[in-house]
Amino acid sequence: MEVQNLTKHFPILGGILQRTVGYVYAVNGVNFSINKGETCGLVGESGSGKTTVGKLIVKLLEPTKGKIFFEKNDVTNLKGSDLKLYRRSVQMVFQDPYASLNPRMTVKDMLVEVMRSHKIYEGSEYEYAIKLLERVGMSEEHLYRYPHELSGGQRQRVVIARALCLDPKFIVLDEPTASLDVSVQAQILDLLKELQEKYNYSYLLITHNLAVVKYISKKIIVMYRGIVVEKAETNDLFKEPQHPYTISLLSAIPVPDPTLVRKKIILKGEPPDPIEPIKACPFQDRCPYVMAICKEKSPPEIDLGKGHIVKCWLKA
Amino acid sequence: MSKNQSKMFWLDIKFAFSLIKKNKLVVLGFIIVLIFIFLAIFGEFLVDPKTPSKIDFKNKLLPPSRDHIFGTDDNGRDIFSLIILGAKYDLFIAVSVISFSILIGIIIGSISGYFGGIVDEIIMRITDIFLAFPGLVLAMAIASVLGRSFTNLMLALIIVWWSSYARVIRGQFISEREKPYVSAAKLLGLSNFRIMFRHILPNTIYPLLILATMDMGGVILTAAGLSFIGLGPSPFEPEWGSLASSGSIYLFQAPWIMFFPGISILLASLGFNLVGDGLRDVLDPRLRR
Amino acid sequence: MLLKVENLKVEFYTYRGVVHALNGVNFHLDKGEILGLAGETGSGKSVTSLAIQKLLPPNAKIISGKILFDGIDLVELNEDEMRKIRGKRIATIFQDPHTYLNPVFRIEKQFIDVLLAHDPDIKKVELKKEREKLARAKAIEMLKMVSMPAPERILKMFPHELSGGMKQRVLLALAFSLNPDLIIADEATTALDVTIQSQILDIMEKLRRGKNVSILFITHDLGLIAENCQRIAIMYGGRVVEFGDVKKVLTNPLHPYTQGLINALLRIDKDIKPVSIPGTVPDLVNLPLGCPFYSRCAYALDECNKSFPEPVIVDGVRVNCHLFARK
């Protein structure tokens, strides 16, 4: 999976005639690539455009600009039956499992429905549904349950099972643990890891929680206001974060060790409003090391080696 | 159905009844509606089904007595029997007008709400046209153009009624289509048809059910109104509105001819409204879990 | 001791049956202290916060127990008496600022309403105009304290014109403006981004020091408690199962549930493999007779299924577990 210069601007409609009066600049020229069997973490705060990137990749949204490649094929403008075929390879797991399951369908109905609509496993849908449930650590007894009869962790397992139904190669995980209790988060992440080892899935993990990325992802991408500000191997990024935003983000994460004394970098100001067009560096208003050039020109991408890329004038 | 599931189902029903029982008026509504439905189905076995054609001028305009507890009309027919036999006409009108309106409403409203854009724009302007006229006036115009008959009366009412259902269903679809379960269904490559009718529609059914029950009373009232002004079926089909209409000229001479059908219309529409109210309380998700 | 909750029991009446939300909650909070109340979904932490403010929904009832606030038992107070305490002496910051800020009024009006109703210095002034002027001045002063840029302009805005972090700062300013004795922060920063969260917590800590306020800090994030609180109360199944100094509890957890919770955390500071707690939280309708953690506990003893353990003090930490009662 590779994306090039991916851009999405949502038009804002206004006035009586519903004309476009402005844009929400959600994603502004994002580039990255994910190899087979690899996990890539996409990190950012609310409004950073990370979920939009996910939706663009699975084609729930059409990009304004840029291209998406899957297995070397351009999939940016797929339609109709080609799109249906693409969906068998690329799936998405949503943040809130309760909201993404139809409350009026049983687990079995949901799984069988997907198989039927793609005409796969014809005649053995029931057996395959049980197999899928077992694959995500559940069993036959859950087949006839409704979403509200399952615990949060089980619901997320059903969502994963449903995504696996079509035997995809690439899965976008949008905050897979955000709505779960701490005591079961690790279970779900372990399950995802295990499935990846067995079936060689590729993941794009979208999250605001850096600890989740650290646990299951080799590579990490940090986004700020629709722009990739830093890209690196996860371990390198945690050891030596380069972009001032990444540094403050890491320092702001609370650590459950009361003996640890850390210096917090507290950013001033608010995250920028995404309806303002981007001028030069998007982080200039909150950056503690802001320089004159940051307000004039967009920073270049600096390659620090080992795939560690940072977009900042400080490193230029 | 699994054991657990049927247990939940009975708990649901039990809970619903416990809510209904709290409100005496809703219980009253239920009783009225049940009597109404009972009469519509079994009315022919309770009284002489040939009453409408049994014209007996010797006994015309008799006041209520032991033989004719609601009195007789200008043709000497027993009003009590006519009312009981008329129940099925009024129920039939109400049920068919509402179900056809829902059917049309679902088809048009779901397309409009799900796809949005230009399709939605066009469909909604058309419903605007229908909604712009007062319902009764529009129905009157249509019924008088089509001519006087039972089916034309229903047709006129359906033409007036469907647009409000289309609106409601469209609104429901718009609010549902942004929900993650719909995105998930799209992603899984399910067809639009399936997403619309298997996924979204069942989640919009409760508000629809409430509206439909409330509207039953409205349809009965409007239908009666139309036949009262002479746009309804012939006197041999003892629909309550036309019964009342036939009594209007004897208002001072024999008020019972108009009074009893009138009361029946009032009670039936009131009953459905009360039940609708009760359903709203029961089905309101905020009161559950 | 500012707040002492004793054996608090709360039940909810639903169509599924009686939900035993709180089953004897015990903890206390000293003057000027920050106490972290931690627990998962359904542990009863939010119900505890609502019970202290007496804002429980109509289908809930306090069955028994005491909530001693500065010597007054809040359970005994009626709504009128409670209204005088709520807002004035106990202020709350909710997760969702919408529940507190009225969307149709400007920020200015929200401050003036609260200050005119409760602030004794402002209430003394006779002229209404003067009172409002004083209230406005106080509002500006408070907004400056929460490092809000251009407070005069903020006062003229409606809640929806502010970002999540700004709204939460307005709430902080409102909560602190009446010099309350106790502030309940109920998941106050959960909905915010981490960089904004640390801003807000920083401001909260400064205000707390300046005014010597006590804070009941309710959260599911043990990291936040480790960094901001002095003591911690771990809730499970509607009870506080471990209660004591943050350093002691988090570095040397006694209760198997606390241990499990800490082991389940995803860490950014250490390379430890997290381990989830097996099983699910108990059904509060059919609560087990004994320890609610029995079915998930790796060290469960026979007596754990029979009775809920009495509290034991181990090195200053109170823990409800049969493992320690034995010794």
Side-chain angles (χ1 to χ4, degrees):
Chain A
M1 178 68 71
E2 187 180 356
V3 299
Q4 287 176 0
N5 192 28
L6 198 62
T7 303
K8 177 71 187 178
H9 298 164
F10 294 101
I12 307 167
L13 302 176
I16 314 163
L17 296 169
Q18 293 291 296
R19 266 187 308 206
T20 307
V21 293
Y23 288 97
V24 175
Y25 298 89
V27 179
N28 303 291
V30 166
N31 300 298
F32 61 83
S33 64
I34 300 166
N35 298 328
K36 188 152 182 57
E38 194 179 69
T39 305
C40 179
L42 189 60
V43 175
E45 296 182 283
S46 51
S48 63
K50 57 188 192 303
T51 301
T52 310
V53 169
K55 286 187 174 169
L56 287 169
I57 286 179
V58 299
K59 300 204 58 61
L60 276 178
L61 293 172
E62 295 294 321
T64 312
K65 253 199 311 204
K67 292 215 174 302
I68 305 166
F69 295 94
F70 178 67
E71 295 185 323
K72 301 271 185 295
N73 299 318
D74 186 350
V75 294
T76 321
N77 296 311
L78 287 185
K79 289 255 149 46
S81 59
D82 288 339
L83 180 62
K84 200 168 172 181
L85 217 60
Y86 175 68
R87 296 232 151 116
R88 286 177 61 170
S89 312
V90 178
Q91 276 299 316
M92 183 161 176
V93 169
F94 290 89
Q95 170 170 9
D96 182 353
Y98 195 60
S100 60
L101 295 172
N102 187 337
R104 292 176 200 283
M105 285 170 92
T106 61
V107 173
K108 180 196 153 226
D109 289 344
M110 287 187 256
L111 296 175
V112 169
E113 171 190 63
V114 178
M115 291 179 237
R116 291 239 165 95
S117 80
H118 286 268
K119 301 206 171 54
I120 48 173
Y121 301 102
E122 272 179 290
S124 60
E125 289 101 345
Y126 182 81
E127 289 75 19
Y128 190 60
I130 296 173
K131 218 175 184 181
L132 278 170
L133 281 185
E134 280 165 358
R135 209 173 278 177
V136 296
M138 292 171 78
S139 63
E140 201 178 340
E141 60 169 314
H142 300 109
L143 265 185
Y144 293 97
R145 300 263 179 95
Y146 283 93
H148 67 87
E149 296 170 324
L150 299 169
S151 70
Q154 287 173 326
R155 275 179 217 144
Q156 196 59 293
R157 283 168 197 269
V158 171
V159 172
I160 294 169
R162 192 173 60 172
L164 299 186
C165 220
L166 299 169
D167 204 14
K169 293 171 184 146
F170 187 93
I171 303 174
V172 176
L173 306 165
D174 186 5
E175 304 272 13
T177 56
S179 60
L180 302 177
D181 268 326
V182 239
S183 68
V184 293
Q185 286 184 357
Q187 271 176 22
I188 296 294
L189 295 177
D190 283 335
L191 171 70
L192 290 168
K193 258 182 158 177
E194 186 194 310
L195 289 168
Q196 183 172 47
E197 277 158 25
K198 257 193 214 158
Y199 303 98
N200 211 20
Y201 297 133
S202 310
Y203 293 141
L204 174 67
L205 172 72
I206 298 169
T207 181
H208 68 276
N209 187 342
L210 282 154
V212 173
V213 179
K214 181 170 185 283
Y215 185 52
I216 74 165
S217 177
K218 272 238 169 64
K219 286 209 289 187
I220 183 167
I221 298 171
V222 182
M223 276 181 80
Y224 188 78
R225 264 230 50 194
I227 285 176
V228 173
V229 292
E230 192 163 359
K231 240 191 296 200
E233 299 270 317
T234 308
N235 286 337
D236 293 345
L237 188 115
F238 275 86
K239 245 180 264 157
E240 289 166 348
Q242 298 295 328
H243 198 282
Y245 174 66
T246 318
I247 297 171
S248 59
L249 193 62
L250 279 171
S251 89
I253 299 168
V255 170
D257 183 355
T259 56
L260 206 70
V261 183
R262 294 192 310 161
K263 205 180 139 256
K264 290 223 161 194
I265 301 164
I266 291 164
L267 289 175
K268 41 183 189 167
E270 301 285 316
D273 195 344
I275 64 167
E276 301 280 330
I278 293 183
K279 288 180 274 162
C281 177
F283 193 55
Q284 50 173 293
D285 297 334
R286 298 173 78 196
C287 184
Y289 315 106
V290 62
M291 302 179 293
I293 191 162
C294 304
K295 303 191 176 191
E296 283 156 21
K297 273 206 265 172
S298 179
E301 282 190 5
I302 315 288
D303 195 338
L304 303 166
K306 282 211 304 179
H308 197 148
I309 289 167
V310 59
K311 206 171 165 138
C312 181
W313 280 114
L314 280 173
K315 310 290 164 191
Chain B
M1 231 197 263
S2 76
K3 213 173 172 186
N4 200 4
Q5 207 181 315
S6 66
K7 202 177 127 203
M8 287 303 284
F9 178 74
W10 283 114
L11 273 174
D12 266 7
I13 299 277
K14 244 170 84 181
F15 183 65
F17 270 102
S18 74
L19 279 180
I20 290 170
K21 265 192 290 189
K22 271 186 209 149
N23 191 339
K24 293 266 153 53
L25 277 175
V26 178
V27 178
L28 180 73
F30 258 105
I31 294 171
I32 294 173
V33 168
L34 284 178
I35 293 176
F36 182 40
I37 294 171
F38 177 80
L39 291 181
I41 299 171
F42 299 106
E44 296 183 14
F45 306 108
L46 298 176
V47 293
D48 182 4
K50 293 203 185 75
T51 315
S53 51
K54 269 196 182 157
I55 293 170
D56 178 5
F57 289 114
K58 267 186 280 173
N59 289 324
K60 75 172 190 177
L61 302 179
L62 287 181
S65 65
R66 202 193 281 185
D67 289 339
H68 305 281
I69 53 170
F70 285 178
T72 60
D73 72 352
D74 52 339
N75 290 321
R77 302 181 295 180
D78 180 44
I79 293 177
F80 180 71
S81 310
L82 289 176
I83 286 176
I84 286 179
L85 293 170
K88 73 171 175 223
Y89 292 93
D90 284 81
L91 184 69
F92 185 71
I93 290 182
V95 170
S96 46
V97 167
I98 295 292
S99 29
F100 275 106
S101 300
I102 289 181
L103 195 68
I104 301 171
I106 283 176
I107 295 168
I108 289 180
S110 56
I111 291 173
S112 191
Y114 185 75
F115 293 105
I118 189 84
V119 186
D120 181 35
E121 219 32 56
I122 294 168
I123 292 176
M124 280 307 111
R125 293 298 80 77
I126 295 172
T127 60
D128 278 350
I129 296 172
F130 283 95
L131 288 169
F133 295 99
L136 192 66
V137 176
L138 184 62
M140 253 163 68
I142 299 168
S144 55
V145 168
L146 294 172
R148 183 178 170 170
S149 91
F150 192 66
T151 21
N152 288 347
L153 176 67
M154 283 189 340
L155 208 60
L157 286 171
I158 293 169
I159 293 172
V160 172
W161 236 275
W162 70 270
S163 52
S164 62
Y165 282 91
R167 281 268 161 166
V168 170
I169 291 161
R170 169 183 175 264
Q172 289 284 327
F173 265 69
I174 288 177
S175 73
E176 291 291 314
R177 76 169 179 212
E178 300 301 330
K179 295 202 174 151
Y181 76 91
V182 177
S183 298
K186 271 188 200 166
L187 256 186
L188 290 160
L190 303 182
S191 66
N192 284 331
F193 184 80
R194 199 172 172 87
I195 296 174
M196 282 160 76
F197 296 111
R198 184 73 177 87
H199 288 254
I200 303 182
L201 192 62
N203 287 300
T204 64
I205 217 77
Y206 280 166
L208 210 59
L209 205 65
I210 296 163
L211 184 68
T213 320
M214 296 272 227
D215 266 5
M216 294 281 270
V219 172
I220 291 174
L221 214 56
T222 316
L226 287 177
S227 30
F228 186 80
I229 56 173
L231 297 168
S234 71
F236 296 106
E237 292 164 313
E239 194 276 327
W240 293 345
S242 51
L243 278 183
S245 167
S246 69
S248 61
I249 30 176
Y250 303 101
L251 185 58
F252 297 105
Q253 229 179 320
W256 53 89
I257 307 181
M258 206 166 123
F259 180 75
F260 289 108
I263 283 290
S264 312
I265 294 165
L266 183 77
L267 280 178
S269 65
L270 183 73
F272 278 111
N273 262 308
L274 291 175
V275 172
D277 251 358
L279 277 181
R280 187 169 49 199
D281 291 346
V282 173
L283 300 177
D284 187 342
R286 276 167 299 178
L287 287 171
R288 347 198 73 207
R289 307 234 146 79
Chain C
M1 203 177 294
L2 180 71
L3 178 74
K4 186 168 194 210
V5 176
E6 269 179 40
N7 207 22
L8 186 65
K9 289 186 183 170
V10 171
E11 289 178 350
F12 281 74
Y13 303 98
T14 70
Y15 85 110
R16 274 187 64 222
V18 181
V19 175
H20 304 271
L22 300 185
N23 306 294
V25 170
N26 288 293
F27 67 84
H28 56 88
L29 178 62
D30 288 336
K31 186 107 191 91
E33 185 195 30
I34 308 189
L35 170 72
L37 194 60
E40 296 179 280
T41 317
S43 62
K45 54 189 195 307
S46 286
V47 179
T48 309
S49 125
L50 291 176
I52 293 170
Q53 303 163 72
K54 299 267 298 260
L55 286 175
L56 289 168
N59 66 333
K61 205 180 153 202
I62 298 178
I63 300 300
S64 65
K66 284 182 182 164
I67 303 169
L68 294 168
F69 173 69
D70 208 7
I72 314 161
D73 187 359
L74 300 183
V75 176
E76 303 289 325
L77 295 190
N78 64 28
E79 183 54 29
D80 273 346
E81 294 164 321
M82 197 59 214
R83 206 173 289 134
K84 287 186 192 124
I85 290 183
R86 219 185 282 140
K88 170 79 194 86
R89 299 197 62 197
I90 302 179
T92 316
I93 308 163
F94 292 100
Q95 171 174 0
D96 181 9
H98 296 290
T99 53
Y100 207 86
L101 292 173
N102 189 332
V104 299
F105 293 136
R106 289 175 204 281
I107 301 299
E108 183 176 37
K109 169 110 173 111
Q110 326 232 6
F111 267 101
I112 290 175
D113 281 354
V114 170
L115 289 169
L116 290 190
H118 290 299
D119 193 302
D121 293 339
I122 293 177
K123 270 209 262 187
K124 271 195 302 217
V125 180
E126 263 173 48
L127 276 168
K128 187 166 181 262
K129 260 208 176 133
E130 285 292 307
R131 281 204 300 262
E132 286 191 0
K133 212 173 134 191
L134 272 175
R136 197 168 292 125
K138 175 114 194 218
I140 291 174
E141 180 199 336
M142 289 311 301
L143 286 177
K144 276 187 186 149
M145 283 177 89
V146 296
S147 27
M148 195 73 114
E152 288 88 352
R153 203 164 52 90
I154 300 285
L155 281 184
K156 295 284 173 220
M157 287 181 162
F158 287 99
H160 69 90
E161 295 175 89
L162 302 172
S163 71
M166 303 242 257
K167 267 185 255 182
Q168 215 56 301
R169 268 191 266 178
V170 168
L171 279 192
L172 266 181
L174 264 172
F176 277 93
S177 64
L178 292 165
N179 293 322
D181 300 299
L182 172 67
I183 287 189
I184 301 175
D186 190 350
E187 300 273 11
T189 58
T190 306
L192 303 174
D193 286 327
V194 274
T195 56
I196 305 297
Q197 170 172 280
S198 55
Q199 272 180 3
I200 299 285
L201 291 173
D202 188 50
I203 295 165
M204 194 149 101
E205 177 59 20
K206 273 183 196 142
L207 283 172
R208 187 191 68 84
R209 287 231 182 106
K211 306 212 167 193
N212 197 29
V213 181
S214 309
I215 298 178
L216 180 61
F217 194 87
I218 300 173
T219 180
H220 65 279
D221 190 338
L222 291 180
L224 283 178
I225 292 184
E227 289 181 356
N228 297 289
C229 301
Q230 288 133 24
R231 266 194 291 189
I232 182 169
I234 306 268
M235 287 195 74
Y236 189 80
R239 288 184 175 102
V240 173
V241 292
E242 188 162 353
F243 177 63
D245 183 74
V246 164
K247 282 200 178 101
K248 285 181 188 161
V249 173
L250 290 184
T251 48
N252 182 26
L254 298 173
H255 198 283
Y257 174 66
T258 318
Q259 291 172 9
L261 204 56
I262 293 171
N263 290 338
L265 292 177
L266 300 161
R267 308 288 290 247
I268 60 154
D269 55 328
K270 288 179 196 158
D271 283 312
I272 308 175
K273 192 180 157 18
V275 185
S276 288
I277 306 175
T280 52
V281 289
D283 182 1
L284 294 173
V285 176
N286 303 307
L287 209 63
L289 187 67
C291 176
F293 193 58
Y294 173 75
S295 61
R296 304 173 78 185
C297 182
Y299 312 104
L301 308 166
D302 286 344
E303 58 256 48
C304 297
N305 200 17
K306 288 176 194 132
S307 64
F308 186 74
E310 290 297 313
V312 184
I313 310 280
V314 182
D315 188 21
V317 173
R318 196 189 76 207
V319 60
N320 287 67
C321 180
H322 281 301
L323 286 177
F324 299 94
R326 227 179 212 192
K327 283 167 196 168

